[in-house]
């Protein structure tokens, strides 16, 4: 996962954010067209060509993912 994140950062760039931005970022995620009934939905890859549609995550899981992106992928 770290290799993928670093590839994306190297290829597309990244932006700086802090823990204080998490509520704003999660609020923006709520505006995605994949969402239903106020639930944030994700399409995830579990392997090459293997997609998982309408996956959800709790606020705590989203915050952990943002922590990983911000700190752990370096």
């Amino acid at each position: 996962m770290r290799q993928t994140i670093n590839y994306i950062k190297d290829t597309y760039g990244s932006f700086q954010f802090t823990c204080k931005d998490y509520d704003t970022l999660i609020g923006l995620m709520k505006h995605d067209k994949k969402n239903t009934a106020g639930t944030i939905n994700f399409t995830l890859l579990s392997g090459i060509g293997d997609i998982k549609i309408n996956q959800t995550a709790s606020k705590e899981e989203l915050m952990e993912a943002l922590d990983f992106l911000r700190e752990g992928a370096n």
Side-chain angles (χ1 to χ4, degrees):
M1 190 168 9
R2 292 180 199 286
Q3 182 180 8
T4 301
I5 289 173
N6 288 328
Y7 173 80
I8 291 168
K9 284 182 174 182
D10 291 344
T11 303
Y12 300 104
S14 63
F15 66 97
Q16 300 297 313
F17 60 94
T18 68
C19 296
K20 294 178 184 179
D21 299 314
Y22 287 6
D23 286 331
T24 300
L25 292 169
I26 292 170
L28 291 169
M29 290 178 202
K30 292 180 180 180
H31 295 285
D32 191 275
K33 66 183 178 185
K34 292 185 296 299
N35 300 339
T36 54
T39 301
I40 300 172
N41 288 318
F42 298 91
T43 299
L44 304 174
L45 293 172
S46 60
I48 296 172
D50 187 13
I51 60 170
K52 303 294 181 194
I53 298 172
N54 293 333
Q55 302 298 299
T56 60
S58 68
K59 183 175 181 178
E60 292 76 22
E61 290 170 323
L62 292 173
M63 293 171 80
E64 285 180 33
L66 290 170
D67 281 341
F68 181 79
L69 181 61
R70 187 174 55 82
E71 299 172 350
N74 296 322

